[in-house]
Amino acid sequence: MISDESLAFQSLGGDISAFEELVNRYKKPVFSIVYRMIGHYQEAEDITQDVFVNVYQKLYQFDSNKKFAPWIYRIATNASISALRKKKKIVTLDFDEAYGKAYEDYYTAHSGDPQLMFEREELKHFIYEAINELPESYRAVVILRYQMDLNNQEIAEVLGVSKENIEVKVHRARKALRKIVEKRWNERGLEYELPASR
Amino acid sequence: MNCRQVDKYLYDYCDDILNPEQRAQIEEHLLNCPICRRIVDESLLESTILHEQWEIPALPDDFTDRVINQIACTAIQANSSTIYPHSQNHKKWSRRFISLAAMGAILLIMLYGPALLKNSGLIQIADQEPASLKTTRESIMAGKADQESLKAPAGAAGSEEIKQETANGANRQKDQEESPSSPAGEIKESYGTHSVTISNNDNSQAQDLNLMKAETAATPEAFPVQPVNLPASYVLLNKVDTAGSSTYTFGRSQSEEQIIINIAQLPLRQPVTSTYSRGYYIREEAAPAADKSEIQSGKGVTSPSEEQGTKDLGAQPQEQAKSKALPTTNTISYELEFNNQKFLLTISAKLPAEELSMISRDLQLSATK
């Protein structure tokens, strides 16, 4: 199979079918990043489309000696962060229902200890919501690390910072996440005692 | 390992990216610290949930087609210079750049302004440069017999340095007119290492030729194309390369007739597909009746640089060839494409319009050797 980098090179030479192949390869991961960052389907779709147009226009900037994936993820992440900053206060209000639906479906599909399962899924819901309350840079780190399964070095390449910086950011993002979840948990009148620790 | 160190490596432990040695140290601590044990358990659960793949809705089936279509539309918009989203950013950056440039200019004036004022001679030369440039061009193009004396300010060593830096190609290097201290009938030019003194005499062509040679000597780069396929009776008298254009003077051996061809390189605005096309019109002006052999400076001839700036390149071809017999100066201006590059040709000659038109049709470009 022809490499992403070769396809990028061919696209730069005007081969539109090569770029079409790149779109097909990356539309899912790029949309995953954007949708997780934005949390709204239609907007995420529009941003994803813009990301690919942007990628096409900036292909001449791509260093073919480097990997294509971090480069396109970087453009996707930056586009998402820019979009979030434009509508910062609307994000949590404009949250897609699909987010909650995933956990509802999971809850109804799993039997076992109903109380424990409920609490676990409630925690999951809190965590998903908490991610969207994180500052954009922390949110990007969490999504790239846990949803895109990138290691710290790869995240560093995507975000254009050092690996050490990512290690610190992951730690701080997780701490911030814990704080938000704990607050939510306490607002429900529950002591923050996770199902796993009982 | 203490609680503080466990906290430092807490999430790396939960994500299982620690080396075995560090991992063993943490687990040893957890055996004896229930507080850390609880925190680690909670974090482990959070890590597990974070790693669970969220349900991501699928993109529409036609997503790829839409992207490709949008790219095609954007490319078309960019070519037709219409506004598209990115141009807004460009405008913002342009405004920022202009602001920064203005601030920089003010700073430079504040820093170097007093020093410049001390040497009023430099400012004088800078102010007079455009006027002398115009005079020179008119002189070259009209072929007038310039009897005025031109002379550089004596002993202006500082001004020579400045001129050498700013001229860069030396086509603008001319001095003040009618300098009271200069001996009549002499032109003195300074080009740093090139110094040319031209004695004024009645042969204006020789004077202009020397001026052109002096300019050519200081031109750093050769122009990429040259005109070919002129009638055999015309021989090249002179060639002057300037930045972005080149001027050729052809003459007939047994006649005073001259053809001046200026070729200016145009910016490539869009991909060129055809290889050779032209649209042209003829500018025809009568020479003053009182002087049939010479044309007064500033009349009857438009210099190529002015032509380039004023002509509408997309104008419909017009031919206004009317007179064959009158000794008029006609100018044809048109675009030619050569090696995917556009050039603006301006041909001036005291020839009937039809004849000039024929010459322009036969004229072609070739790469400079």
Side-chain angles (χ1 to χ4, degrees):
Chain A
M1 188 175 71
I2 190 163
S3 69
D4 299 337
E5 294 71 29
S6 298
L7 285 173
F9 184 75
Q10 288 174 8
S11 304
L12 191 60
D15 185 352
I16 200 74
S17 61
F19 190 73
E20 199 173 341
E21 173 63 19
L22 276 177
V23 175
N24 284 328
R25 284 188 192 180
Y26 279 93
K27 63 183 177 185
K28 194 173 176 183
V30 166
F31 181 69
S32 298
I33 292 174
V34 177
Y35 180 69
R36 283 160 180 154
M37 288 284 288
I38 300 293
H40 187 272
Y41 181 85
Q42 191 54 53
E43 196 179 349
E45 187 190 328
D46 292 344
I47 293 170
T48 305
Q49 196 166 327
D50 288 344
V51 165
F52 282 108
V53 174
N54 206 5
V55 163
Y56 186 78
Q57 289 172 341
K58 289 183 175 175
L59 270 176
Y60 69 95
Q61 294 178 354
F62 172 62
D63 182 356
S64 56
N65 295 320
K66 294 184 178 174
K67 288 281 179 189
F68 183 76
W71 188 67
I72 194 171
Y73 290 166
R74 182 177 192 168
I75 292 174
T77 308
N78 287 338
S80 305
I81 289 173
S82 298
L84 284 171
R85 284 177 181 164
K86 281 181 189 170
K87 53 154 214 164
K88 202 162 190 174
K89 292 180 180 176
I90 309 172
V91 173
T92 48
L93 300 176
D94 199 25
F95 209 50
D96 220 11
E97 287 182 1
Y99 265 59
K101 191 174 178 300
Y103 117 88
E104 295 284 352
D105 291 348
Y106 187 88
Y107 170 68
T108 51
H110 289 73
S111 55
D113 184 343
Q115 181 63 22
L116 203 63
M117 189 60 69
F118 178 79
E119 287 182 5
R120 188 185 189 281
E121 290 309 308
E122 194 160 33
L123 173 68
K124 188 175 176 180
H125 189 59
F126 285 163
I127 288 174
Y128 285 1
E129 286 189 345
I131 288 172
N132 287 280
E133 290 180 36
L134 289 174
E136 295 89 2
S137 60
Y138 286 177
R139 194 185 315 182
V141 165
V142 168
I143 288 168
L144 292 172
R145 168 92 170 243
Y146 296 104
Q147 288 295 299
M148 303 306 293
D149 278 329
L150 301 185
N151 61 39
N152 287 347
Q153 182 58 48
E154 290 166 333
I155 299 170
E157 285 174 29
V158 169
L159 298 180
V161 294
S162 67
K163 186 186 168 191
E164 291 73 24
N165 186 295
I166 295 300
E167 286 169 359
V168 171
K169 272 192 174 175
V170 167
H171 194 84
R172 289 179 181 171
R174 288 291 302 267
K175 288 280 185 193
L177 190 76
R178 159 67 69 94
K179 204 172 175 181
I180 296 167
V181 172
E182 203 168 356
K183 188 182 165 195
R184 289 284 178 91
W185 200 265
N186 291 336
E187 282 171 359
R188 293 284 305 269
L190 301 168
E191 193 183 342
Y192 189 54
E193 187 179 351
L194 297 180
S197 60
R198 286 187 200 164
Chain B
M1 192 173 272
N2 56 32
C3 296
R4 194 180 181 86
Q5 287 170 317
V6 169
D7 183 66
K8 185 182 175 185
Y9 295 109
L10 173 65
Y11 299 113
D12 289 341
Y13 173 80
C14 295
D15 296 338
D16 199 13
I17 54 174
L18 285 178
N19 62 49
E21 189 182 346
Q22 287 172 315
R23 191 171 180 82
Q25 286 175 352
I26 286 178
E27 283 171 353
E28 187 183 340
H29 174 84
L30 293 178
L31 288 174
N32 304 313
C33 181
I35 297 171
C36 286
R37 177 77 256 172
R38 183 184 161 183
I39 292 170
V40 166
D41 285 344
E42 289 168 352
S43 301
L44 274 170
L45 178 62
E46 285 172 0
S47 285
T48 308
I49 291 172
L50 284 169
H51 271 117
E52 285 173 8
Q53 289 298 303
W54 302 356
E55 187 179 320
I56 302 293
L59 279 166
D61 293 338
D62 64 343
F63 178 82
T64 305
D65 293 338
R66 277 158 49 187
V67 169
I68 299 300
N69 286 340
Q70 193 179 342
I71 285 168
C73 290
T74 308
I76 290 166
Q77 283 177 343
N79 280 340
S80 60
S81 302
T82 54
I83 295 172
Y84 63 107
H86 292 285
S87 65
Q88 300 295 334
N89 291 336
H90 292 162
K91 279 184 183 174
K92 280 183 190 172
W93 279 105
S94 298
R95 281 199 291 269
R96 286 176 193 170
F97 177 75
I98 289 167
S99 311
L100 283 171
M103 286 169 64
I106 291 166
L107 273 173
L108 281 173
I109 289 168
M110 288 170 69
L111 285 170
Y112 296 107
L116 278 172
L117 284 172
K118 282 179 188 171
N119 193 345
S120 58
L122 299 182
I123 295 174
Q124 193 179 6
I125 286 169
D127 288 345
Q128 290 175 354
E129 194 177 31
S132 59
L133 169 63
K134 187 178 177 184
T135 306
T136 307
R137 287 195 180 280
E138 286 169 353
S139 170
I140 290 168
M141 298 310 299
K144 72 169 187 173
D146 192 351
Q147 299 298 328
E148 296 166 341
S149 61
L150 307 173
K151 191 180 184 305
S159 64
E160 286 183 15
E161 288 175 15
I162 293 294
K163 282 187 287 184
Q164 190 183 352
E165 286 176 10
T166 54
N168 188 24
N171 60 335
R172 319 182 185 95
Q173 169 67 35
K174 294 298 167 284
D175 305 313
Q176 302 171 44
E177 285 189 46
E178 298 178 352
S179 172
S181 61
S182 64
E186 183 176 296
I187 298 172
K188 186 172 181 182
E189 301 193 22
S190 299
Y191 296 92
T193 55
H194 302 278
S195 183
V196 181
T197 302
I198 303 168
S199 296
N200 195 3
N201 54 33
D202 290 334
N203 188 349
S204 62
Q205 287 184 4
Q207 177 184 319
D208 292 337
L209 208 62
N210 285 335
L211 279 170
M212 291 177 177
K213 281 177 181 173
E215 290 183 345
T216 310
T219 302
E221 292 178 3
F223 199 66
V225 294
Q226 59 185 9
V228 292
N229 227 17
L230 250 74
S233 57
Y234 285 95
V235 292
L236 178 63
L237 294 179
N238 198 21
K239 176 193 172 193
V240 180
D241 279 348
T242 58
S245 74
S246 185
T247 304
Y248 290 80
T249 306
F250 292 89
R252 278 178 165 158
S253 54
Q254 300 299 322
S255 165
E256 290 185 357
E257 286 177 12
Q258 285 191 354
I259 293 181
I260 298 169
I261 301 171
N262 177 269
I263 309 171
Q265 196 163 5
L266 295 174
L268 192 64
R269 286 166 298 199
Q270 56 189 18
V272 178
T273 50
S274 58
T275 54
Y276 206 78
S277 67
R278 65 175 68 180
Y280 62 91
Y281 63 94
I282 296 173
R283 177 192 176 98
E284 181 183 26
E285 292 181 28
D291 184 0
K292 292 188 177 182
S293 60
E294 301 293 339
I295 299 173
Q296 293 295 318
S297 171
K299 294 178 184 175
V301 170
T302 308
S303 73
S305 59
E306 289 168 342
E307 287 279 338
Q308 189 178 341
T310 55
K311 293 283 185 276
D312 179 9
L313 301 179
Q316 292 293 322
Q318 296 175 13
E319 292 199 27
Q320 297 176 351
K322 291 176 184 174
S323 171
K324 284 185 181 178
L326 289 174
T328 57
T329 298
N330 288 313
T331 301
I332 294 182
S333 192
Y334 58 93
E335 288 183 21
L336 263 184
E337 294 164 7
F338 182 75
N339 276 354
N340 284 350
Q341 176 65 52
K342 281 193 175 182
F343 295 93
L344 176 68
L345 269 76
T346 307
I347 308 174
S348 299
K350 282 194 287 184
L351 289 172
E354 288 82 358
E355 192 176 338
L356 193 60
S357 173
M358 290 295 290
I359 289 172
S360 78
R361 280 175 186 149
D362 294 336
L363 184 71
Q364 292 186 355
L365 294 178
S366 75
T368 309
K369 291 175 183 175

